[in-house]
Amino acid sequence: MKKFLICSCEESVIDYPPSFVIAETEDKAMQKFLREVYSKNDIFRSSVLDLAANMTFVEQFYFSNERERRRFDNKKKVVVEKEIVKNRVERFFSTNPNLGKLFVRYMETKDASLISDDVFEFIATSESKERHGHVALDVDSLNTV
């Protein structure tokens, strides 16, 4: 087992302290961190629960291309059909369709009790590095002075 230091690429270590994670590989360390720390973060959870079309988790379901984004920017409202958004949500949750159904119901009802830790963990561990903004550093590879 190795030690990895998980840091945010965007936040100061003062404001967002890094975490040590013990795992066999960098990928496993990142998945462990995303599941056990990031998925429980209040800012992450707020982004998931925020159904606004801009700067939130659901943004990716409203805009899949630049044309859809421009239409939103021009009209100041989402113009993508609800069925298309639903299909995109289902595609995101394709490896766990039951969680996808829960998320679609949440989007329709805004009932936050539908979004369990399992949903948050699935989303956190499914996000790209660009979206979650964290990096794993092998502690043994760091210079010791």
Side-chain angles (χ1 to χ4, degrees):
M1 298 293 256
K2 298 172 92 176
K3 271 189 182 179
F4 294 89
L5 184 66
I6 310 290
C7 302
S8 169
C9 298
E10 301 165 1
E11 302 292 330
S12 160
V13 294
I14 308 275
D15 297 329
Y16 193 87
S19 297
F20 270 115
V21 177
I22 298 172
E24 295 172 4
T25 67
E26 180 180 329
D27 287 341
K28 288 181 180 180
M30 184 59 72
Q31 287 296 303
K32 187 175 182 181
F33 169 81
L34 293 172
R35 191 175 42 261
E36 296 179 21
V37 177
Y38 180 67
S39 74
K40 293 167 179 46
N41 178 279
D42 289 339
I43 295 170
F44 166 76
R45 286 183 174 218
S46 292
S47 175
V48 168
L49 295 174
D50 188 343
L51 296 176
N54 214 8
M55 303 298 291
T56 63
F57 166 70
V58 296
E59 174 182 46
Q60 64 190 306
F61 307 126
Y62 295 126
F63 314 119
S64 70
N65 58 53
E66 193 57 37
R67 189 177 113 259
E68 290 174 349
R69 165 67 68 190
R70 277 195 312 274
R71 287 173 65 197
F72 171 78
D73 290 342
N74 292 335
K75 297 187 182 225
K76 304 299 182 223
K77 67 178 188 172
V78 175
V79 291
V80 177
E81 293 82 21
K82 288 182 181 183
E83 195 60 34
I84 291 172
V85 172
K86 179 182 174 188
N87 288 339
R88 291 173 180 168
V89 171
E90 290 171 347
R91 193 174 328 124
F92 179 86
F93 287 96
S94 64
T95 60
N96 198 327
N98 290 333
L99 296 182
K101 289 176 186 171
L102 286 174
F103 198 83
V104 167
R105 276 200 16 235
Y106 167 70
M107 291 179 74
E108 295 167 347
T109 65
K110 298 180 182 161
D111 178 1
S113 69
L114 294 169
I115 307 300
S116 65
D117 286 343
D118 289 342
V119 175
F120 286 118
E121 288 177 17
F122 181 90
I123 293 168
T125 58
S126 299
E127 286 192 326
S128 67
K129 183 177 180 179
E130 292 75 28
R131 275 195 76 82
H132 65 67
H134 291 86
V135 62
L137 305 170
D138 183 343
V139 173
D140 293 333
S141 70
L142 299 176
N143 291 330
T144 302
V145 180

